[in-house]
């Protein structure tokens, strides 16, 4: 196994979408009514992925093994309801196929997230994590993120309780 990391290109969008859907469903699909899950997933269209990739406010990092994309991280402009005047950015998504969990790949992606946030002159980095996603939360805590609030993450008509976390950069 040789993991390579690089910036995403338009040629990666189909794989990014597949990883997002596969990873999200592997982790969370059992929590939702199928109509709520379908409504949530329907928001993520090829046009959306392409517009984000083409927007300089977003940044994507790909992890691949032997040319196969296995995970990604996406930074984007602030959207969470937090009270701050500091320059900030958000980790909007980070997904890794479950076969590659526990091999340090998420940590490498997080190193890039933090470095890229600093490169963009952010002073605070925010994210949300599902309250019962203990694996992800441990990762974020290991990098120094702290809980600063609660957030309702909507999956269709279903509101998940998420935790807002912040890292001071």
């Amino acid at each position: 196994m040789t993991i390579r990391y690089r910036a995403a290109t338009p040629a990666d969008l189909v794989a990014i979408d597949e990883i997002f859907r596969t990873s999200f469903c592997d982790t969370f699909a059992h929590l939702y009514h199928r109509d709520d899950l379908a409504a949530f997933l329907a928001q993520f269209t090829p046009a959306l992925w392409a517009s984000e990739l083409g927007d300089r406010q977003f940044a994507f990092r790909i992890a691949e093994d032997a040319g196969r994309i296995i995970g990604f991280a996406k930074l984007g402009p602030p959207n969470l309801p937090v009270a701050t005047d500091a320059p900030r950015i958000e980790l909007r998504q980070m997904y890794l196929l479950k076969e590659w969990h526990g091999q340090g790949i998420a940590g490498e992606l997080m190193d890039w997230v933090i470095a890229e946030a600093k490169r963009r002159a952010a002073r605070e980095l925010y994210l949300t994590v599902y309250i019962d996603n203990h694996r992800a939360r441990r990762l974020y805590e290991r990098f120094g993120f702290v809980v600063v609030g609660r957030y309702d993450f909507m999956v269709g008509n279903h509101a998940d309780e998420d935790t807002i976390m912040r890292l001071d950069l």
Side-chain angles (χ1 to χ4, degrees):
M1 171 180 76
T2 302
I3 305 302
R4 184 174 152 239
Y5 302 90
R6 62 177 176 78
T9 70
D12 300 323
L13 293 176
V14 169
I16 287 169
D17 186 64
E18 180 181 308
I19 288 162
F20 162 70
R21 290 171 189 281
T22 300
S23 185
F24 187 88
C25 289
D26 284 350
T27 307
F28 304 113
H30 68 281
L31 299 172
Y32 310 114
H33 184 275
R34 70 170 188 249
D35 293 341
D36 289 326
L37 181 60
F40 173 74
L41 294 174
Q43 299 174 82
F44 298 90
T45 64
L48 173 70
W49 293 113
S51 71
E52 289 178 344
L53 185 63
D55 184 337
R56 293 173 39 155
Q57 293 184 87
F58 289 86
F60 287 76
R61 188 74 167 173
I62 297 293
E64 60 185 4
D65 182 23
R68 176 183 175 208
I69 297 173
I70 58 169
F72 73 93
K74 179 179 80 175
L75 281 168
N79 194 37
L80 291 170
V82 295
T84 183
D85 292 326
R88 62 189 164 131
I89 195 165
E90 289 177 20
L91 173 57
R92 292 284 189 89
Q93 294 169 324
M94 186 163 71
Y95 289 100
L96 180 64
L97 295 175
K98 65 182 175 184
E99 306 92 271
W100 282 270
H101 286 185
Q103 298 183 41
I105 298 165
E108 290 288 331
L109 287 170
M110 186 56 72
D111 284 339
W112 171 83
V113 164
I114 293 168
E116 182 65 13
K118 288 178 179 178
R119 190 186 73 73
R120 290 172 177 244
R123 303 292 296 148
E124 297 174 340
L125 174 59
Y126 288 87
L127 59 83
T128 66
V129 60
Y130 177 58
I131 198 162
D132 288 329
N133 189 347
H134 303 293
R135 173 187 277 280
R137 186 160 170 173
R138 281 191 305 272
L139 172 73
Y140 302 141
E141 288 171 346
R142 194 173 78 228
F143 278 87
F145 283 85
V146 295
V147 173
V148 294
R150 183 187 177 283
Y151 181 73
D152 285 339
F153 182 84
M154 297 304 295
V155 177
N157 292 315
H158 179 97
D160 274 341
E161 183 178 344
D162 273 22
T163 299
I164 299 173
M165 299 184 83
R166 181 188 69 226
L167 177 66
D168 293 325
L169 300 173

